[in-house]
Amino acid sequence: MRAVETERILMAARHSTRRSGPPLLLAGLLLLAGPADDDFDWQRDRIVLKNGKEERGVVIEDTNPARVVLLLDGNRRREFPREEVERVDKLRDRQAAFFGVRRPGLDAGQEWQLVEDAQRAGLPDLARLQAWRVLLADPAHEGAHELLGHRRSGGDWEWELDGKPVSHKRFEEKSRDWNSRLVLESGHFVLETDAGLARATEVLFDLEGLYLWWMQHLGPFLHPTEDVDEPREEKMTFLVHKNLDSFRPISQQEPYYDPSGLETTSKGGTNVARTFYVPDAERPEELFELGAQALIYSTLLLGETKGGKPDAQLRRSAYWVEIGLAHWVALHAGGKPGFPEFQVPFTGDFRLDFDAARLTLDPVSSPHPLANQRHELTNLIGLGYDYFVGNSSNIPLAKARCASFVAFLLETNPDVFKGKKAVGKGRDGLWYYFREVYGTPTASSSSAFDDGFNGGKLESLEEAWKAWVKPFASTLGR
């Protein structure tokens, strides 16, 4: 769907009102509804060609200016030149319109209207997720229970947990035990958690909001796919623990994202992030950072690989840039849990956080590739995964440099020099790096920056980078 048309839908949805509840999605969008069952819907999207023909499938690519690609069951793809396409009706546009009419503070009846909207719009996962929100407001709501497949037992409803019918009381008790944790889905994410139903729905709505922001604002530069290549097996999965005691880390007690397939999940996914809540926190630790890392892999690599699996060496060689972009993305996120709000990027309002700025300027201790070097940048982009895992006091310093350097490239878009001649721009070079290293996994992460900068040298940015960081490290500007 063209950007102007999407904006028209969103604006109309936001300004449409009715006294009894939230505004409905537009009727034109509701006509796209597909089967609302538990199986993956391979007919969910539509491409309308200029010759009048319609093609159905899963729109897997719609950000590349040259083409639109449909993913068909069996991992088959059909490619359509952009000049032959009249209109694209896809999941993301329907989700964006749905999110445009959600708001906090609704009663059970108004929450249920959103369930019906989602069903008519062909958003079965969001309809089920929204039905859980209805039960938070009204635990006896008949329609919500029926949609979720719950059964009556006497005069009450049996809720479903871990594939078994249980009473409401038992549901609330056992869902906070990791061994019988909740497993919920949204359009692009799976969540497993022992943090309770309210937090479960909040996390999934936060992540879907992040997905929409990522595709709208970074899609034109990164050309990401709309989804993973294997929607059943590779769906982004978050394991969210209610506290640190419930959390089981790999090597240290901090959140992590792991696409290696070594994690065990109820749904059998291989695309996994793991985090936890700390006391008094509204959201899990590093939720948006982990979401950004998952989106990097899922929309730049997994969606492009046509059934292949990511090379473990890629993550080891390019992890630094994942850390940097994830930090920058998270600094744009806020709002109430379940109702995320994101800043529009590149407006000039960005502020690097104090800790990242301070740690960027602190010296790294020897022995380390960043210690005692005149030009840190040449070694920073070569840091492998091992330099970011463990208990070394240098790890926070290295991560801070990743965060501040990526933010510097994106926010200032500096000239990159070869000798005394400006031959490239920082922002363009970074986007090229992501497209090449992740979208073309055979590309060399060590040479992609030189190529993206048209032969310009990273070390020419060293002084400007540190000078840009320095004011953010001032306690006066905190």
Side-chain angles (χ1 to χ4, degrees), residues 390-409:
N391 299 307
S392 169
S393 61
N394 284 328
I395 291 176
L397 306 179
K399 286 184 175 181
R401 283 160 169 80
C402 298
S404 64
F405 180 55
V406 169
F408 166 71
L409 292 177

Side-chain angles (χ1 to χ4, degrees), residues 5 8-10 12-13 16 24-31 97:
E5 179 67 7
R8 182 186 69 80
I9 289 173
L10 292 175
S16 171
L24 286 171
L25 305 183
L26 295 187
L29 208 62
L30 303 182
L31 294 176

